[in-house]
Structures are given as C-alpha cells and as structure tokens.
Amino acid sequence: MDDELIPIAALNQYDYCPHRCWRMFCLGEFAENVYTLEGTGLHERVHGGEISTLEGVEQYRTVELVSYCHGLIGKADLIERHAGVWVPVEYKRGTKGEWGNDRIQVCAQGLCLEEMLGVTVPNGAVYYAATGRRETFSLDLTLRTRTVEVIALVRELLRTGQEPLARVMPRCKGCSLYDACLPTAGERVRNYRERWE
C-alpha cells in the first residue's frame, strides 16, 4: 500500500461521480454553488470542537481520524458514544441522498475509529439538515466491502491521475462542477467521433 493517506471526503466524491472526484482531488478544482455554500454554513455551525453530553450520550465534534491499515485520513463532524458504543455521524445540508455515497464516507469513519480505538463500530448515521432527520444504518459487511472497494478505486485514481469519462447522470443537476465538466458536450463529441471516424 502507498504511504499516502487518502482523504475520506474523496471516497464520498468518487462514489457520487468518479469524474467529479478526479476534478477535485487530481486537478484541485472546486466551484461554489448554492448547495456547497449551504453545506459550508452547516459545517461551520457543527464544527465547534466541543465535547458535550446530551441525554447520557457523549458527543465529540470535529474529530480527526486516521487509519494506517486502510490508508485514510479525515475528520468526522460528530462522534457519539452511546453506552460504550461509538457512532460516527456525518452532517449533510440536504435531504436523504439517493446515491449511497454518504454511507461510504461514514463507513470509512467507522473503519478509522475501529483502528484508533480498538473497538467495533456497528452503526453510523447521517443527519440531514433540510429535514432535521437522522438516518442510522448498520456498517454491515456489504457496506464495508463497498467502502474498501472505493478506497482502492480512489487510490488508483490518485496514483494514475487518469481522467474518468464524464457521464450524464441525474445527479449532475446538483454538481457544482457541471459547467467545468460539460458531460453532455463530451457525450456529443464521442457520438460524433463514433459516427464519422
């Protein structure tokens, strides 16, 4: 394994769209849109760095995470401890995601906690600010296996820097890098070449 630690956030971006991940983590591109600005505002409120207790649950905010086994580094918005059981909680600005990429990010945080604390982390959660609801889910074998697959895919992407194809998907509507990516233009060019070359 490379000594380079992969940002946990890159896993979320890759699972959302490999091309977006390449633009952000290989090219260093980033663009603001209403969604990213709302997300930044939410995280500024969440990242107070304090430790508190709410109804017997210990809460630790802005927790630095690392896993040398999986080669990950990042930060958790919130880590809770419920009767000795640790639960990573990620904050997102919108509603429950349709794509599962948020769960990959939380599972990676759980893998880090397991290595750092020598414990088992059975569950994770995502808090969606738009609805004020929390989705709790199992860090089961299926999710862990997919997370490890995505770690390998991101490591390869960062190692090679090879550009994944920009593909048109329903999730393109919310992407702040849509104007840089122009997935429909790329597809039209590919179609043109296939027809005339």
Side-chain angles (χ1 to χ4, degrees):
M1 185 180 84
D2 291 340
D3 293 334
E4 196 84 15
L5 298 174
I6 297 172
I8 293 172
L11 308 180
N12 188 326
Q13 297 301 331
Y14 187 94
D15 203 53
Y16 184 80
C17 172
H19 188 82
R20 176 179 169 84
C21 182
W22 173 77
R23 286 193 169 275
M24 291 178 72
F25 291 92
C26 292
L27 301 183
E29 289 183 4
F30 186 75
E32 294 283 11
N33 68 9
V34 66
Y35 304 122
T36 61
L37 289 171
E38 287 177 1
T40 300
L42 172 67
H43 284 89
E44 284 173 358
R45 289 193 302 274
V46 173
H47 290 175
E50 70 270 11
I51 300 170
S52 60
T53 301
L54 180 64
E55 297 177 4
V57 177
E58 297 170 33
Q59 297 180 318
Y60 303 83
R61 289 177 170 68
T62 319
V63 179
E64 304 282 344
L65 299 171
V66 66
S67 166
Y68 296 106
C69 178
H70 294 285
L72 297 172
I73 191 163
K75 195 181 294 182
D77 293 332
L78 176 67
I79 303 291
E80 293 183 341
R81 189 173 185 205
H82 302 246
V85 178
W86 296 91
V87 179
V89 181
E90 183 65 20
Y91 277 64
K92 296 297 178 188
R93 53 148 292 281
T95 58
K96 181 181 175 185
E98 300 173 54
W99 321 115
N101 50 306
D102 295 338
R103 288 185 175 206
I104 297 285
Q105 184 176 0
V106 172
C107 185
Q109 294 172 355
L111 295 175
C112 290
L113 280 175
E114 289 180 342
E115 184 176 324
M116 293 167 64
L117 301 174
V119 298
T120 299
V121 178
N123 299 307
V126 179
Y127 173 80
Y128 294 100
T131 58
R133 301 188 69 151
R134 176 188 288 209
E135 177 195 27
T136 300
F137 48 87
S138 170
L139 304 186
D140 61 16
L141 182 59
T142 301
L143 181 57
R144 288 171 185 264
T145 300
R146 176 62 185 152
T147 301
V148 170
E149 288 172 357
V150 172
I151 292 168
L153 291 167
V154 170
R155 182 173 309 286
E156 184 66 8
L157 176 71
L158 297 179
R159 186 185 69 75
T160 65
Q162 187 171 354
E163 178 184 358
L165 282 178
R167 299 188 182 281
V168 181
M169 301 180 282
R171 60 188 81 174
C172 290
K173 286 192 315 188
C175 180
S176 64
L177 294 175
Y178 182 85
D179 289 340
C181 173
L182 297 174
T184 57
E187 190 169 289
R188 284 197 297 261
V189 169
R190 281 191 295 279
N191 290 340
Y192 176 83
R193 285 182 175 162
E194 287 173 8
R195 188 179 314 150
W196 299 106
E197 291 179 357

